[in-house]
Amino acid sequence: MSSDTVDVTPPSGTTTTEAPPKAGRAAVAAAISTSLEWYDFFIYSTAAALVFNSTFFATGNEVVAAVNSFATVAVGFIARPIGGVLAGHFGDKVGRKPVLVAAVVLMAVATSLIGFVPNTEIVWLAPMILVTLRICQGLAVGAQWGGAVLLATENAPANRRGFFGSFAQLGVPIGVVLGNVVFLVITSTVAQDDFLSWGWRIPFWISLVMLPVAFAIHRYLEETPEFKKIAEKLDATPAVKKSPIIEVLRKNPGTVLLAAGSNAIGIIFFYTMITGSVQFVTTYLDVERSTVLTYILIACALQIPLVPLFGHLSDRFGRKLIFGLGTVAMTVWGIPMWLLIGGSGPDSVWPFAIAVIVGVIAMSFQTGTQGTLFSELFPPEVRFSGASLGYQISAIIGGFAPMVMVILIGGDPDNAWKVGALIAVSGALGLLCLLTIVRRYSNTETTEAGQA
């Protein structure tokens, strides 16, 4: 096998349209665990946009304070590939389920501890403590993605992997909705000074509910059939006990990079829209926090049924086609979206609402298909490592997007279009990578439709 050739053996599963009960349980478990993981990861980004610039990184310059605050957001994204590498190694060696359980526990502990970090004026090392816990969050979310996706897809029938795999992706909109609901309740019931002092900490303490979820996954879910076969092979043939991450980088480096490049626009699009726009309109356009969070909540709520819908359509028409339509939609919508965001104000919030609602629809094409698409690009014995690494490398790029957004705007709201231009450039790169995937790996999908 050449260094850029992939084993296209699909995940095993029944070829009937009837899903076994364990497929449904695995999909629900994946949706719940990822929803809580992303809730934890996203509330940090929201707090960074609304609070951390004044509680931990206050300076006399709004732009510098915002850059410093969003830099800690980016730190979590830098840690995500490391979490993906570690989880990939153990996920391909000891199992999908135990890695997912460990990731959920780590996220619950790290996020709840963030709620106890004192402000900088009380403890001067507070920013360092905050960054350390953010790194732990990044490790956790980097580990959980692959475990949740494979738990759902490897338990699903071959011709319904797109639909069941999309449940792991439901964590993205559900996590945002949960985070925004909590912040909306707190901001509407707590005075501004109290919110900056202690109110913002409540969403982080809530994350302790993840611990019972971790126990339930450990207690009631079985390991996937695909990994059971891998485990039998490892036990029977000691010679194949190699490092999965080394194997995937040796045999499939191009696949990893192409997956990362094709997914970068989705990460950039999402974080500039969900996190960056909050900082932009509340700082420069005097739009109320509660108003912004409400429209983002509505947009993400609309996305929840779209994710499994596009996952289902990928079973009918092919992963790459649906994923590609999402890339085109985000590329085309990037500049108009940010022109609308820049044209918003306290008396005209409708441009912001249109921008984010259309934005999440465009993004849903990719969100509903990326997990299954990436898992099908790698052979079973390195699937956790390969899919996780490709996804998390793209996350590094996207993690810096809010900070780059602040720099591009430079304190001048008229520069909002530049953020859209950044999205368009990343979209062109994504299309190039996706076309290469289509050309090289057109036979990786084995859905009933047989589409590439």
Side-chain angles (χ1 to χ4, degrees), residues 26-322:
V28 171
I32 293 174
S33 61
T34 54
S35 296
L36 295 175
E37 288 266 350
W38 287 116
Y39 162 82
D40 286 357
F41 202 68
F42 293 150
I43 59 173
Y44 186 99
S45 300
T46 302
L50 299 177
V51 180
F52 292 169
N53 57 333
S54 59
T55 56
F56 293 107
F57 305 101
T59 67
N61 188 305
E62 285 185 344
V63 174
V64 173
V67 169
N68 290 340
S69 183
F70 282 136
T72 67
V73 175
V75 166
F77 286 88
I78 295 174
R80 280 173 61 172
I82 301 174
V85 168
L86 293 173
H89 175 82
F90 291 105
D92 286 326
K93 300 287 278 187
V94 302
R96 309 340 187 177
K97 189 181 76 170
V99 170
L100 178 60
V101 171
V104 172
V105 171
L106 176 60
M107 179 64 88
V109 173
T111 304
S112 61
L113 288 177
I114 288 175
F116 292 98
V117 177
N119 294 347
T120 303
E121 63 265 22
I122 299 174
V123 176
W124 67 275
L125 284 176
M128 185 178 299
I129 299 172
L130 189 69
V131 169
T132 301
L133 293 173
R134 178 60 175 174
I135 291 173
C136 292
Q137 277 193 318
L139 294 173
V141 81
Q144 68 83 24
W145 183 83
V149 167
L150 296 189
L151 194 69
T153 58
E154 290 185 348
N155 275 302
N159 60 349
R160 299 190 68 189
R161 287 196 305 267
F163 175 72
F164 282 100
S166 70
F167 277 73
Q169 298 296 100
L170 278 176
V172 177
I174 293 176
V176 175
V177 169
L178 291 176
N180 280 346
V181 166
V182 172
F183 269 104
L184 274 172
V185 171
I186 293 172
T187 55
S188 63
T189 56
V190 176
Q192 172 71 5
D193 291 342
D194 290 336
F195 176 75
L196 294 176
S197 175
W198 56 266
W200 66 267
R201 302 175 185 275
I202 296 174
F204 292 88
W205 296 334
I206 291 175
S207 65
L208 287 172
V209 301
M210 294 179 66
L211 295 178
V213 172
F215 173 79
I217 293 173
H218 171 72
R219 177 68 177 81
Y220 297 109
L221 285 183
E222 297 181 6
E223 188 54 80
T224 71
E226 195 68 44
F227 180 77
K228 290 179 180 178
K229 293 181 180 180
I230 298 172
E232 291 175 0
K233 183 189 297 185
L234 291 174
D235 291 337
T237 314
V240 301
K241 293 183 179 180
K242 302 176 182 178
S243 169
I245 192 65
I246 292 177
E247 284 296 291
V248 79
L249 290 177
R250 183 173 69 86
K251 295 181 179 179
N252 312 120
T255 311
V256 171
L257 293 177
L258 288 171
S262 66
N263 195 55
I265 180 176
I267 306 289
I268 293 172
F269 189 94
F270 179 79
Y271 280 98
T272 55
M273 179 180 67
I274 297 298
T275 300
S277 66
V278 173
Q279 187 272 341
F280 176 79
V281 298
T282 56
T283 301
Y284 301 116
L285 304 180
D286 297 323
V287 180
E288 291 292 329
R289 273 198 311 263
S290 59
T291 302
V292 176
L293 294 177
T294 297
Y295 282 113
I296 289 180
L297 187 155
I298 292 171
C300 289
L302 292 174
Q303 189 184 20
I304 292 173
L306 294 177
V307 169
L309 170 62
F310 290 125
H312 168 70
L313 291 177
S314 77
D315 287 327
R316 295 286 305 278
F317 303 107
R319 255 46 103 195
K320 302 178 188 72
L321 174 61
I322 303 301

Side-chain angles (χ1 to χ4, degrees), residues 263-413:
N263 195 55
I265 180 176
I267 306 289
I268 293 172
F269 189 94
F270 179 79
Y271 280 98
T272 55
M273 179 180 67
I274 297 298
T275 300
S277 66
V278 173
Q279 187 272 341
F280 176 79
V281 298
T282 56
T283 301
Y284 301 116
L285 304 180
D286 297 323
V287 180
E288 291 292 329
R289 273 198 311 263
S290 59
T291 302
V292 176
L293 294 177
T294 297
Y295 282 113
I296 289 180
L297 187 155
I298 292 171
C300 289
L302 292 174
Q303 189 184 20
I304 292 173
L306 294 177
V307 169
L309 170 62
F310 290 125
H312 168 70
L313 291 177
S314 77
D315 287 327
R316 295 286 305 278
F317 303 107
R319 255 46 103 195
K320 302 178 188 72
L321 174 61
I322 303 301
F323 190 91
L325 289 174
T327 302
V328 172
M330 288 186 288
T331 302
V332 171
W333 185 241
I335 292 179
M337 179 175 73
W338 272 91
L339 288 175
L340 285 168
I341 292 173
S344 304
D347 299 322
S348 57
V349 187
W350 65 266
F352 180 86
I354 294 174
V356 296
I357 289 173
V358 176
V360 297
I361 294 172
M363 187 176 63
S364 297
F365 285 83
Q366 276 198 3
T367 305
T369 57
Q370 63 185 196
T372 310
L373 171 63
F374 288 3
S375 68
E376 289 177 334
L377 291 175
F378 298 93
E381 60 271 17
V382 296
R383 183 170 293 143
F384 202 130
S385 298
S388 293
L389 192 58
Y391 181 78
Q392 303 305 342
I393 287 175
S394 67
I396 294 181
I397 301 170
F400 283 92
M403 186 171 65
V404 174
M405 179 210 77
V406 173
I407 295 172
L408 288 175
I409 293 173
D412 184 357

Side-chain angles (χ1 to χ4, degrees), residues 404-430:
V404 174
M405 179 210 77
V406 173
I407 295 172
L408 288 175
I409 293 173
D412 184 357
D414 291 337
N415 288 331
W417 67 270
K418 294 182 180 179
V419 185
L422 172 67
I423 292 171
V425 171
S426 65
L429 172 63

